[in-house]
Amino acid sequence: MTVVILHPPGRSLPPYPEWLAGVATDLVLVTGPATAAGAGYADVLSIVDYETSARVETAVLDIAERTDLTAIVAVGVLDQIRAGGLRDHLGLPGPGRDTAIGLVDGVRAAGLLADAGVPSLPRGRVRRAVDLYWYAHRWGCPLRIRSRRVAGWPTVVVLHDRDELRAFTEGGLPANQEVMPSLMAEPVVAGERHRGVFALDGDRARAMDKYPDAHTFTELAGGALSAVDAMAGWPHHVEAVSSDEGEWLVETISCDPTPATPGADFLLCAVVRAQVGQLPALARVV
């Protein structure tokens, strides 16, 4: 039984062998050339152009031809899409490519939430400068611009008024937005926030700790994970914000935490183990 781990270069290496002890005979790490792997791997494949080439995919296909490949682990947002496509092709368990895109792309996720009737922040893709003026007209200022294809959808800039909007768009948007849009816009909601690490248990999420309005937030998180078609048990960090009217809105969903994400180690370990069938039974409020 072989488990392949896709790990992007430049990112600190989690203790995969420790987290996956007892669930695989061999761990094969596919990564960039600068990663110091350490012990616990049956093989380490260094791909020079890891982030831009199809050599990662062909390496995994070669492994599948030679061994009994049972699972693919990927935590980086782009690698989750890669892994989804490979699972589709090889017939392996876990989220496929379409599911991965829904979880990774902020605009796609927002659309899935809206279609499912889950209360969430409205979002729109940004292809041209005029899009920002339309969103400012529709939602008003301040306006938050996020990276739509980066873990946690980090904030690029908050435009507090039309003057800041004009200054931001004067030099034009980053190149290739019309071909490969990487920005999205949303209104700024400055209400109370709750966040938690959740995994679906059947068709609902459960939380281990109690805190104000826990039931509402827990049900909201369960609905959000169902809406984005997450695999049962697939853990995510969900953050919700209270609107001026007191309604809880899903703001972000992520299964690729940054070090600053509350509960990052807990979530990352749960994400890795979920991909080899070790599904967590409960969620944790952080």
Side-chain angles (χ1 to χ4, degrees):
M1 296 172 58
T2 298
V3 171
V4 166
I5 300 168
L6 305 183
H7 185 83
R11 178 174 180 154
S12 60
L13 192 68
Y16 291 118
E18 176 185 335
W19 289 348
L20 296 175
V23 300
T25 305
D26 296 314
L27 299 181
V28 177
L29 181 67
V30 180
T31 185
T35 305
Y41 299 98
D43 199 2
V44 177
L45 303 180
S46 296
I47 310 295
V48 175
D49 45 358
Y50 181 96
E51 294 173 310
T52 59
S53 134
R55 294 180 187 177
V56 172
E57 287 85 346
T58 56
V60 175
L61 294 177
D62 288 343
I63 293 168
E65 286 187 359
R66 295 183 279 105
T67 67
D68 180 18
L69 179 59
T70 56
I72 300 173
V73 170
V75 294
V77 291
L78 296 179
D79 282 341
Q80 288 171 29
I81 297 175
R82 273 175 160 165
L86 287 164
R87 292 185 190 111
D88 289 340
H89 181 73
L90 296 170
L92 295 175
R97 187 175 185 275
D98 286 346
T99 296
I101 291 174
L103 300 178
V104 167
D105 187 326
V107 173
R108 174 80 175 273
L112 293 171
L113 292 171
D115 290 345
V118 176
S120 58
L121 277 182
R123 286 202 173 93
R125 64 184 183 182
V126 177
R127 289 183 180 270
R128 297 169 292 274
V130 69
D131 293 335
L132 295 179
Y133 285 91
W134 162 243
Y135 297 134
H137 170 74
R138 183 179 182 186
W139 299 321
C141 290
L143 197 66
R144 187 187 307 276
I145 312 304
R146 291 182 185 266
S147 295
R148 62 182 280 190
R149 303 175 190 272
V150 179
W153 311 327
T155 298
V156 174
V157 66
V158 175
L159 305 174
H160 295 89
D161 51 39
R162 294 299 182 104
D163 289 339
E164 291 188 5
L165 194 159
R166 279 192 293 271
F168 180 71
T169 57
E170 260 184 4
L173 297 179
N176 298 323
Q177 285 302 302
E178 293 194 29
V179 178
M180 183 61 70
S182 62
L183 298 177
M184 60 185 183
E186 65 186 33
V188 172
V189 177
E192 183 184 2
R193 279 176 166 72
H194 282 317
R195 54 180 64 90
V197 176
F198 288 91
L200 287 183
D201 178 15
D203 59 359
R204 58 188 289 272
R206 293 184 291 165
M208 290 170 62
D209 301 324
K210 294 186 180 298
Y211 62 101
D213 211 13
H215 175 76
T216 298
F217 178 48
T218 299
E219 292 300 316
L220 181 66
L225 297 194
S226 297
V228 296
D229 194 28
M231 180 181 69
W234 190 261
H236 286 77
H237 180 269
V238 179
E239 184 165 351
V241 61
S242 178
S243 70
D244 293 340
E245 293 75 30
E247 181 184 25
W248 284 104
L249 305 172
V250 174
E251 184 175 54
T252 60
I253 305 173
S254 176
C255 57
D256 179 22
T258 66
T261 302
D265 290 342
F266 175 84
L267 173 57
L268 192 59
C269 179
V271 167
V272 169
R273 291 181 61 82
Q275 292 178 79
V276 296
Q278 304 296 307
L279 304 181
L282 286 174
R284 188 178 78 171
V285 172
V286 292

